Amino acid sequence: MRLLLLAALLAATAGCRPYPRDPERTLERVRGGVLLAGVSHDPPHVALPADGPPHGGDVARIEALARSVGARVEWVRGDHEGLLHALHVRRLHLVAGGVAADSPWKSKVGMTRPYPARDARGREVRRVMAVPPGENAWLMQVEAVVHPVPR
């Protein structure tokens, strides 16, 4: 009987934790602070001119994400594999630019649902952004920006 009571008590209190969870508190750390965004050159979604700041559709989405949490963006330029590795070991908060939905990294990092965009020829393509593994509250915040709910 005591075991049954203990199990019921544990089940009842398990729901008291905030959900979704960010084990490493990514959303909490980014909010009001710095969003470390890894970007690789992938025009027109992410263009990395040598003499200026990044620009493109994904850059605009990241800037909107930063505004949504009162953060400023710190751009980290790099190659695709290096950026995803840095994300996996939690040195970045987000990676954009050339991330494929079927990337081998999908088992090591979190990814947004694909969102529509246009390539350089005007064709519709499906894009994703990557986030640190297991950071579900952060992923939901990113999703809210890349998949806004129509009003």
Side-chain angles (χ1 to χ4, degrees):
M1 185 64 164
R2 284 185 181 175
L3 187 57
L4 185 57
L5 183 58
L6 179 61
L9 181 61
L10 287 174
T13 59
C16 296
R17 290 182 166 169
Y19 183 82
R21 295 184 192 100
D22 274 355
E24 300 296 322
R25 303 179 2 257
T26 300
L27 177 56
E28 182 182 326
R29 287 185 295 121
V30 171
R31 192 180 305 275
V34 176
L35 166 56
L36 297 172
V39 288
S40 59
H41 190 64
D42 184 26
H45 313 289
V46 177
L48 301 175
D51 59 348
H55 59 86
D58 284 352
V59 171
R61 285 177 179 87
I62 294 168
E63 290 169 338
L65 172 62
R67 284 191 302 276
S68 78
V69 293
R72 70 176 177 79
V73 181
E74 184 174 310
W75 301 105
V76 178
R77 299 170 184 230
D79 67 272
H80 180 74
E81 289 296 311
L83 292 172
L84 286 169
H85 179 266
L87 182 71
H88 177 67
V89 297
R90 302 174 188 279
R91 291 193 310 250
L92 295 172
H93 301 127
L94 179 80
V95 170
V99 181
D102 62 352
S103 166
W105 284 93
K106 71 181 178 184
S107 65
K108 299 175 185 169
V109 299
M111 292 193 181
T112 64
R113 291 175 292 129
Y115 53 91
R118 299 270 174 204
D119 68 11
R121 295 182 179 170
R123 297 175 299 201
E124 186 168 299
V125 293
R126 308 294 282 169
R127 310 278 303 164
V128 297
M129 290 187 192
V131 300
E135 298 299 280
N136 295 318
W138 175 237
L139 178 59
M140 287 183 68
Q141 182 68 39
V142 175
E143 287 274 357
V145 173
V146 299
H147 293 285
V149 176
R151 293 182 186 206

Short mmCIF file of all heavy atoms in Angstrom, two decimals, residues 61 64-65 111-117 125-129 139-151:
data_model
loop_
_atom_site.label_atom_id
_atom_site.label_comp_id
_atom_site.label_asym_id
_atom_site.label_seq_id
_atom_site.Cartn_x
_atom_site.Cartn_y
_atom_site.Cartn_z
N ARG A 61 15.02 36.13 -39.85
CA ARG A 61 14.31 35.29 -38.87
C ARG A 61 15.07 35.27 -37.53
O ARG A 61 14.46 35.33 -36.47
CB ARG A 61 14.14 33.87 -39.40
CG ARG A 61 13.09 33.72 -40.46
CD ARG A 61 13.03 32.28 -40.99
NE ARG A 61 12.00 32.14 -42.00
CZ ARG A 61 12.20 32.38 -43.30
NH1 ARG A 61 13.40 32.76 -43.74
NH2 ARG A 61 11.21 32.22 -44.15
N ALA A 64 14.54 38.51 -35.77
CA ALA A 64 13.20 38.53 -35.17
C ALA A 64 13.16 37.67 -33.91
O ALA A 64 12.53 38.05 -32.91
CB ALA A 64 12.16 38.04 -36.19
N LEU A 65 13.84 36.54 -33.93
CA LEU A 65 13.93 35.68 -32.75
C LEU A 65 14.59 36.44 -31.60
O LEU A 65 14.10 36.42 -30.47
CB LEU A 65 14.71 34.41 -33.09
CG LEU A 65 15.06 33.49 -31.93
CD1 LEU A 65 13.81 32.96 -31.27
CD2 LEU A 65 15.95 32.36 -32.44
N MET A 111 16.19 20.21 -34.30
CA MET A 111 15.92 20.94 -35.54
C MET A 111 14.48 21.42 -35.56
O MET A 111 13.59 20.74 -35.05
CB MET A 111 16.18 20.06 -36.75
CG MET A 111 17.64 19.74 -36.94
SD MET A 111 17.93 19.05 -38.56
CE MET A 111 19.69 18.77 -38.46
N THR A 112 14.30 22.59 -36.17
CA THR A 112 12.95 23.09 -36.37
C THR A 112 12.23 22.21 -37.40
O THR A 112 12.88 21.47 -38.15
CB THR A 112 12.95 24.54 -36.89
OG1 THR A 112 13.57 24.57 -38.18
CG2 THR A 112 13.64 25.48 -35.92
N ARG A 113 10.92 22.35 -37.43
CA ARG A 113 10.18 21.76 -38.54
C ARG A 113 10.57 22.54 -39.79
O ARG A 113 10.87 23.73 -39.71
CB ARG A 113 8.68 21.88 -38.29
CG ARG A 113 8.18 21.01 -37.15
CD ARG A 113 6.70 21.24 -36.87
NE ARG A 113 6.51 22.58 -36.32
CZ ARG A 113 5.63 23.47 -36.78
NH1 ARG A 113 4.82 23.18 -37.79
NH2 ARG A 113 5.52 24.66 -36.22
N PRO A 114 10.59 21.91 -40.95
CA PRO A 114 10.92 22.65 -42.17
C PRO A 114 9.93 23.80 -42.40
O PRO A 114 8.75 23.68 -42.14
CB PRO A 114 10.79 21.59 -43.27
CG PRO A 114 10.99 20.29 -42.57
CD PRO A 114 10.39 20.48 -41.20
N TYR A 115 10.48 24.91 -42.88
CA TYR A 115 9.64 26.07 -43.21
C TYR A 115 9.93 26.47 -44.65
O TYR A 115 11.04 26.26 -45.16
CB TYR A 115 9.89 27.23 -42.25
CG TYR A 115 11.32 27.65 -42.10
CD1 TYR A 115 11.87 28.64 -42.91
CD2 TYR A 115 12.15 27.05 -41.14
CE1 TYR A 115 13.19 29.03 -42.76
CE2 TYR A 115 13.47 27.43 -41.01
CZ TYR A 115 13.99 28.41 -41.82
OH TYR A 115 15.29 28.78 -41.69
N PRO A 116 8.93 27.01 -45.34
CA PRO A 116 9.12 27.34 -46.76
C PRO A 116 9.91 28.63 -46.95
O PRO A 116 9.82 29.57 -46.16
CB PRO A 116 7.68 27.51 -47.26
CG PRO A 116 6.91 27.92 -46.06
CD PRO A 116 7.57 27.24 -44.88
N ALA A 117 10.69 28.66 -48.00
CA ALA A 117 11.44 29.85 -48.41
C ALA A 117 11.65 29.74 -49.92
O ALA A 117 11.28 28.73 -50.53
CB ALA A 117 12.77 29.93 -47.67
N VAL A 125 11.69 26.16 -51.45
CA VAL A 125 12.54 25.17 -50.80
C VAL A 125 12.11 25.06 -49.34
O VAL A 125 11.41 25.93 -48.82
CB VAL A 125 14.04 25.55 -50.88
CG1 VAL A 125 14.52 25.51 -52.32
CG2 VAL A 125 14.30 26.91 -50.28
N ARG A 126 12.51 23.98 -48.69
CA ARG A 126 12.20 23.77 -47.28
C ARG A 126 13.48 23.98 -46.49
O ARG A 126 14.50 23.41 -46.81
CB ARG A 126 11.64 22.38 -47.05
CG ARG A 126 10.48 21.99 -47.94
CD ARG A 126 9.24 22.78 -47.72
NE ARG A 126 8.57 22.27 -46.53
CZ ARG A 126 7.56 22.88 -45.94
NH1 ARG A 126 7.10 23.99 -46.42
NH2 ARG A 126 7.02 22.37 -44.88
N ARG A 127 13.42 24.83 -45.46
CA ARG A 127 14.58 25.19 -44.65
C ARG A 127 14.39 24.69 -43.23
O ARG A 127 13.27 24.52 -42.77
CB ARG A 127 14.75 26.71 -44.60
CG ARG A 127 14.72 27.42 -45.92
CD ARG A 127 16.00 27.40 -46.65
NE ARG A 127 17.06 27.95 -45.81
CZ ARG A 127 18.33 27.78 -46.08
NH1 ARG A 127 18.71 27.10 -47.12
NH2 ARG A 127 19.26 28.30 -45.31
N VAL A 128 15.49 24.49 -42.50
CA VAL A 128 15.45 24.21 -41.07
C VAL A 128 16.57 24.99 -40.39
O VAL A 128 17.53 25.39 -41.04
CB VAL A 128 15.59 22.70 -40.73
CG1 VAL A 128 14.43 21.90 -41.28
CG2 VAL A 128 16.92 22.14 -41.19
N MET A 129 16.42 25.20 -39.10
CA MET A 129 17.48 25.73 -38.25
C MET A 129 17.74 24.68 -37.19
O MET A 129 16.87 23.89 -36.86
CB MET A 129 17.07 27.05 -37.61
CG MET A 129 16.97 28.19 -38.58
SD MET A 129 16.67 29.74 -37.71
CE MET A 129 16.25 30.78 -39.09
N LEU A 139 13.68 25.46 -28.41
CA LEU A 139 13.19 25.04 -29.72
C LEU A 139 11.79 25.58 -29.96
O LEU A 139 11.48 26.07 -31.06
CB LEU A 139 13.22 23.52 -29.85
CG LEU A 139 12.67 22.95 -31.16
CD1 LEU A 139 13.45 23.47 -32.37
CD2 LEU A 139 12.70 21.43 -31.12
N MET A 140 10.94 25.55 -28.96
CA MET A 140 9.58 26.08 -29.12
C MET A 140 9.60 27.58 -29.39
O MET A 140 8.79 28.09 -30.17
CB MET A 140 8.72 25.75 -27.90
CG MET A 140 8.35 24.28 -27.86
SD MET A 140 7.27 23.87 -26.49
CE MET A 140 5.78 24.72 -26.97
N GLN A 141 10.51 28.31 -28.76
CA GLN A 141 10.62 29.75 -29.00
C GLN A 141 11.07 30.01 -30.45
O GLN A 141 10.53 30.88 -31.12
CB GLN A 141 11.61 30.39 -28.02
CG GLN A 141 11.75 31.89 -28.16
CD GLN A 141 10.50 32.63 -27.75
OE1 GLN A 141 9.85 32.24 -26.78
NE2 GLN A 141 10.16 33.68 -28.46
N VAL A 142 12.04 29.23 -30.91
CA VAL A 142 12.51 29.36 -32.29
C VAL A 142 11.37 29.03 -33.25
O VAL A 142 11.12 29.76 -34.21
CB VAL A 142 13.75 28.47 -32.55
CG1 VAL A 142 14.16 28.52 -34.02
CG2 VAL A 142 14.91 28.87 -31.65
N GLU A 143 10.67 27.96 -32.99
CA GLU A 143 9.52 27.55 -33.82
C GLU A 143 8.46 28.65 -33.90
O GLU A 143 7.87 28.88 -34.95
CB GLU A 143 8.88 26.27 -33.28
CG GLU A 143 9.68 25.03 -33.50
CD GLU A 143 9.43 24.39 -34.86
OE1 GLU A 143 8.58 24.87 -35.62
OE2 GLU A 143 10.11 23.40 -35.15
N ALA A 144 8.23 29.33 -32.79
CA ALA A 144 7.20 30.39 -32.77
C ALA A 144 7.56 31.52 -33.74
O ALA A 144 6.68 32.19 -34.26
CB ALA A 144 7.05 30.94 -31.36
N VAL A 145 8.84 31.71 -33.99
CA VAL A 145 9.29 32.77 -34.93
C VAL A 145 9.29 32.25 -36.36
O VAL A 145 8.81 32.91 -37.26
CB VAL A 145 10.66 33.33 -34.53
CG1 VAL A 145 11.19 34.28 -35.58
CG2 VAL A 145 10.56 34.02 -33.18
N VAL A 146 9.81 31.04 -36.59
CA VAL A 146 9.89 30.55 -37.96
C VAL A 146 8.55 29.98 -38.47
O VAL A 146 8.36 29.88 -39.67
CB VAL A 146 11.04 29.53 -38.18
CG1 VAL A 146 12.38 30.15 -37.90
CG2 VAL A 146 10.84 28.26 -37.42
N HIS A 147 7.66 29.66 -37.56
CA HIS A 147 6.31 29.18 -37.91
C HIS A 147 5.28 30.00 -37.14
O HIS A 147 4.56 29.46 -36.29
CB HIS A 147 6.13 27.70 -37.52
CG HIS A 147 6.96 26.75 -38.31
ND1 HIS A 147 6.67 26.41 -39.61
CD2 HIS A 147 8.08 26.08 -37.99
CE1 HIS A 147 7.57 25.56 -40.04
NE2 HIS A 147 8.43 25.34 -39.09
N PRO A 148 5.17 31.29 -37.41
CA PRO A 148 4.22 32.11 -36.63
C PRO A 148 2.78 31.64 -36.85
O PRO A 148 2.42 31.19 -37.94
CB PRO A 148 4.43 33.52 -37.17
CG PRO A 148 5.05 33.35 -38.50
CD PRO A 148 5.82 32.05 -38.45
N VAL A 149 2.00 31.74 -35.80
CA VAL A 149 0.59 31.37 -35.86
C VAL A 149 -0.17 32.55 -36.47
O VAL A 149 -0.04 33.68 -35.97
CB VAL A 149 0.04 31.03 -34.45
CG1 VAL A 149 -1.45 30.75 -34.52
CG2 VAL A 149 0.81 29.87 -33.87
N PRO A 150 -0.93 32.32 -37.55
CA PRO A 150 -1.68 33.44 -38.15
C PRO A 150 -2.70 33.99 -37.16
O PRO A 150 -3.30 33.26 -36.40
CB PRO A 150 -2.37 32.83 -39.35
CG PRO A 150 -1.86 31.44 -39.48
CD PRO A 150 -1.13 31.08 -38.22
N ARG A 151 -2.88 35.30 -37.21
CA ARG A 151 -3.87 35.93 -36.31
C ARG A 151 -5.13 36.25 -37.04
O ARG A 151 -5.23 36.46 -38.14
CB ARG A 151 -3.28 37.22 -35.74
CG ARG A 151 -2.12 36.92 -34.84
CD ARG A 151 -1.59 38.19 -34.27
NE ARG A 151 -0.39 37.88 -33.52
CZ ARG A 151 0.03 38.60 -32.53
NH1 ARG A 151 -0.60 39.67 -32.16
NH2 ARG A 151 1.11 38.27 -31.89
#
